[in-house]
Each structure stands twice: as structure tokens, then as C-alpha cells.
């Protein structure tokens, strides 16, 4: 009866060892695939929240004292969770919503430390659903979301590489890719500021050279 992903996986392992009926195993695979898609989609939304919260946490240092229960002296990722939980409490989120959010947030942070992207989790879920739950109503939406998220991940990689290179042409191309991928403004800001700074330096250098 449980639709918990770990519980389903464990039950399927036991069923395979016991050589249970293929039809029952197929049904279990279908339920697992559907739950993986739903969990991955929810995880993507929370991951977006966390990345935005981390960005904001770096800018909101004066606001820290105003957040009840904020984890001021701990890891910034925990501070990011505190910000979002604080906002959810303000929007009358239920205790179960807050608990589920925190559990998934911590899970996503642990995966991020291992270099696992939420889009990779969604890809695995989509592949499972394509094989075992092809009629799942949310599969097409998940496939579209996956394509969009992978495009965003590629744009973020370009932005990071361009910033390291400090090449204005490369940064400009990365910014264009980010806009086409519909990255949010706060994700684009560091590259846009860097490009503006490089252009100002170039203009100042040219102006000084003209005077000489």
C-alpha cells in the first residue's frame, strides 16, 4: 500500500527474490516509476527555491536578525532552508508541508554535495516511466520539463565557464544562452555585472590611450 520510493524499491527486491508473478512485479514497477516522476518534479521546484534562497541569503545579511529561528551561525544552505521555512510559515503552510519541504530540501542538498543535479534525478524518473508507466498522465509534462531543465543546466555551465575565462565575447554568448534558456534574473546578474565591468575597463583603457 505504501507509495514511498524506498519502500517500493525494497518490496520489489524482495518480490524478485521470491520470483513473484510478473504481472504483480510490472504493476509495482509502474507505481514506482510514477512516484519517481512526481517526486522528481517536486524536487525540481524545491531545488529552484533553494538556489534562489542561497542567492538571497548572500545579499540579506542585515535581515538575518529579523528571521525567527534562522540558522545564522551555521552553513548557508541551512540558512537558505530557514528563509524558505519562515516564508512558508508566513503563508500558513501546514506542519506536514513544512516537514516534507525540509526533508526534501535536506535530501537535495545531500545530493548536490555528491554532484547530482535535480535534472538528473528527473531523467532517471522519466526513463523509468517511459519503460514501465508509458500511460502515466504526467509523463509528457515531465519530459518537457526535463528538456527545459537540461537546457538550463547547460546554460548555467556556460555562464560559470565564461566567468572563469573573463572573455567578454564568451560571457556575452553565455548571457544570450541563459536568456534563451529562460534563466532567472538573479542567475544572470553575476555574468551581466562582470561583462559591464570588463566593458568599462576597456573603455577607460581606450580613453587613456587616446589622451596619451
Amino acid at each position: 500500500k505504501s507509495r514511498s520510493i524506498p519502500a517500493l524499491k525494497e518490496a520489489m527486491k524482495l518480490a524478485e527474490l521470491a520470483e513473484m508473478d510478473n504481472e504483480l512485479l510490472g504493476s509495482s514497477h509502474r507505481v514506482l516509476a510514477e512516484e519517481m516522476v512526481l517526486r522528481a518534479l517536486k524536487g525540481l521546484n524545491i531545488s529552484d527555491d533553494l538556489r534562489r534562497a542561497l542567492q538571497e541569503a548572500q545579499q540579506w545579511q542585515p535581515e538575518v536578525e529579523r528571521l525567527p529561528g534562522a540558522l545564522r551561525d551555521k552553513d548557508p544552505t541551512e540558512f537558505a532552508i530557514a528563509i524558505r521555512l519562515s516564508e512558508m510559515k508566513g503563508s500558513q503552510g501546514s506542519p506536514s508541508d513544512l516537514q516534507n519541504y525540509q526533508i526534501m530540501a535536506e535530501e537535495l542538498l545531500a545530493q548536490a554535495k555528491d554532484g547530482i543535479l535535480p535534472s538528473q534525478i528527473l531523467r532517471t524518473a522519466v526513463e523509468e516511466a517511459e519503460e514501465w508507466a508509458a500511460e502515466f498522465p504526467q509523463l509528457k509534462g515531465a519530459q518537457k520539463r526535463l528538456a527545459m531543465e537540461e537546457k538550463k543546466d547547460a546554460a548555467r555551465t556556460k555562464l560559470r565557464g565564461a566567468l572563469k575565462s573573463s572573455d567578454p565575447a564568451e560571457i556575452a554568448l553565455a548571457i544570450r544562452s541563459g536568456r534563451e534558456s529562460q534563466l532567472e534574473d538573479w542567475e544572470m546578474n553575476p555574468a551581466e555585472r562582470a561583462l559591464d565591468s570588463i566593458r568599462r575597463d576597456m573603455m577607460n583603457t581606450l580613453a587613456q590611450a587616446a589622451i596619451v
Side-chain angles (χ1 to χ4, degrees), residues 63-103:
E63 301 293 323
V64 172
E65 297 295 336
R66 302 182 190 177
L67 287 170
L71 305 173
R72 294 185 292 273
D73 300 323
K74 296 186 179 182
D75 189 278
T77 53
E78 296 183 25
F79 178 55
I81 293 175
I83 290 175
R84 282 294 174 258
L85 290 176
S86 172
E87 291 177 352
M88 287 185 71
K89 288 174 184 175
S91 63
Q92 305 300 316
S94 70
S96 62
D97 286 341
L98 297 177
Q99 184 179 23
N100 289 337
Y101 181 99
Q102 187 152 17
I103 289 170

Side-chain angles (χ1 to χ4, degrees), residues 14-196:
L14 293 173
E16 288 170 355
L17 288 173
E19 298 182 349
M20 290 185 65
D21 182 77
N22 286 336
E23 184 176 345
L24 180 60
L25 280 174
S27 177
S28 298
H29 271 295
R30 177 184 57 75
V31 173
L32 175 60
E34 291 175 358
E35 286 302 307
M36 287 175 68
V37 168
L38 294 174
R39 179 69 175 255
L41 288 170
K42 185 176 180 181
L44 274 171
N45 293 334
I46 291 180
S47 176
D48 287 344
D49 268 356
L50 289 177
R51 286 188 297 104
R52 186 179 300 106
L54 285 172
Q55 176 76 10
E56 293 168 352
Q58 295 171 4
Q59 301 172 359
W60 289 1
Q61 293 306 320
E63 301 293 323
V64 172
E65 297 295 336
R66 302 182 190 177
L67 287 170
L71 305 173
R72 294 185 292 273
D73 300 323
K74 296 186 179 182
D75 189 278
T77 53
E78 296 183 25
F79 178 55
I81 293 175
I83 290 175
R84 282 294 174 258
L85 290 176
S86 172
E87 291 177 352
M88 287 185 71
K89 288 174 184 175
S91 63
Q92 305 300 316
S94 70
S96 62
D97 286 341
L98 297 177
Q99 184 179 23
N100 289 337
Y101 181 99
Q102 187 152 17
I103 289 170
M104 186 168 292
E106 291 170 353
E107 179 182 318
L108 288 166
L109 292 171
Q111 291 166 344
K113 289 178 181 177
D114 293 331
I116 300 173
L117 297 173
S119 59
Q120 293 172 330
I121 299 170
L122 179 58
R123 169 165 286 285
T124 299
V126 165
E127 289 173 350
E128 286 290 316
E130 286 172 343
E131 181 175 359
W132 297 102
E135 302 303 318
F136 185 42
Q138 297 204 38
L139 178 56
K140 286 187 177 180
Q143 290 167 328
K144 290 179 180 178
R145 180 73 186 270
L146 176 61
M148 180 178 68
E149 291 300 324
E150 290 184 332
K151 187 176 181 181
K152 286 184 176 182
D153 285 343
R156 292 184 185 112
T157 299
K158 285 182 181 179
L159 283 170
R160 287 194 295 269
L163 283 171
K164 287 180 180 179
S165 75
S166 297
D167 181 337
E170 189 174 342
I171 294 175
L173 285 173
I175 289 173
R176 180 179 177 182
S177 175
R179 287 175 180 156
E180 290 175 349
S181 302
Q182 299 182 344
L183 293 184
E184 295 192 43
D185 289 342
W186 63 266
E187 296 183 273
M188 306 285 292
N189 286 342
E192 290 172 341
R193 286 196 299 268
L195 184 58
D196 286 343

